[in-house]
Amino acid sequence: MTTMDDLPLRDDLRGRSPYGAPQLDVAVRLNTNENSYPVPEAVAEAIGKALAAELRDLNRYPDRDAVALRADLADYLGHGLAAANVWAANGSNEVQQQLLQAFGGPGRTALGFTPAYSMHPLLALGTGTSWVDGRRGPGFALTAIQAVEQVRAHRPDLVFLCSPNNPTGTALAPEVVAAVLAEAPGMVVVDEAYAEFARPGTPSALEALPGHPRLVVTRTMSKAFGFAGGRLGYLAADPAVVDAVQLVRLPYHLSALTQAAARAALAHRDALLATVEAIKEQRDRIVAELRGRGLTVADSDANFVLFEVGGDQTVAWRALLDRGVLVRDVGLPGWLRVTAGTPAETDSFLAALDAVPVERKAGR
Ligand code: PMP
């Protein structure tokens, strides 16, 4: 049988594994930070109509620049942003890939602060950008001083910040973004995939955009909007950044169907975002319940919670799966991540966890 190793694969891809959160058919799926609530019927109908209206024109290419969709996204973001400040692609992963294609690449370096979103280094790898695994402090905190020291040491072409951070859940203090922007010689990307779930008073890096043409904020409709299957991510930045990513984007990368579906979803954003408060309640409930059980839990501004199970986390992960609950092993020794979904999903998760031996370190 031919394997990848028999092919003339790039040397830097040899021995690597693809991104692979398990997609298992179990009752309670809390491993990829999706929104557990289905698209409401009225919104599904509106999306259906919008798609139907496109079908006869599928002989033509879509709007290459997705201008109407970008205007809708800018309107949603507010902060005085216009279509020229916004770029959209098939998920924020594609947006970040385009940023690396435009500003990274062979001979260039990107820095992130581990643990953070596991796709950032993989996207760097795919674009031939050297990746530097920066460090965080105790409790996964990242202070302005730590971040600036590492930026100064590595002089990266791109810095990836993630706020709220996946997998830890905690939002970054705005001083960290400001300090990194002041020190970084290149682009600063703030991945705000989970911004809508942040606790009240958590500022967005969108506020720092004016006067900072090297700052890029990426967002997605995959989480709060419950539109992960629609594949729509976007960025907000100076219009010059949007010009730059257009140099590397594939022509017609966003299908007419994607653009129409996303616009219909955005037109019904109140209905879609109505689940956010309920999800935050479950997030806070999970944090409180786990702490009540004596577990160490990271503060969360997102729709997931990172908690310590101690020892070999794969054992607890498997034991939960055996009880029909799929959570995420993010490869952090002793820790697991669970998505906050419906109240019933929280019930199932907690019941399953109570049957699993974990280390309790109350008082830590
Ligand atoms: N950023 C972060 C921090 C994420 O956790 C995810 C999804 N897990 C993404 C970006 C990518 O999301 P999408 O491509 O669906 O927009």
Side-chain angles (χ1 to χ4, degrees), residues 11 36 41 56 76 86 103 110 126 138 141 148 186-188 192 194 200 209 215 219-220 228 318 322 339 344:
D11 288 339
S36 289
E41 197 46 46
R56 275 156 207 87
Y76 165 64
V86 173
F103 299 106
V148 163
M187 303 300 291
V188 177
E192 291 193 351
Y194 300 96
L209 282 176
L215 173 63
R219 295 276 188 109
T220 182
R318 168 58 58 189
D322 289 344
T339 304

Side-chain angles (χ1 to χ4, degrees), residues 91-93 96 117 162 166 191 193-194 220 222-223 231:
S92 51
N93 279 334
Q96 291 166 358
Y117 183 39
C162 192
N166 178 8
D191 181 338
Y194 300 96
T220 182
S222 297
K223 311 295 178 181
R231 306 305 299 129

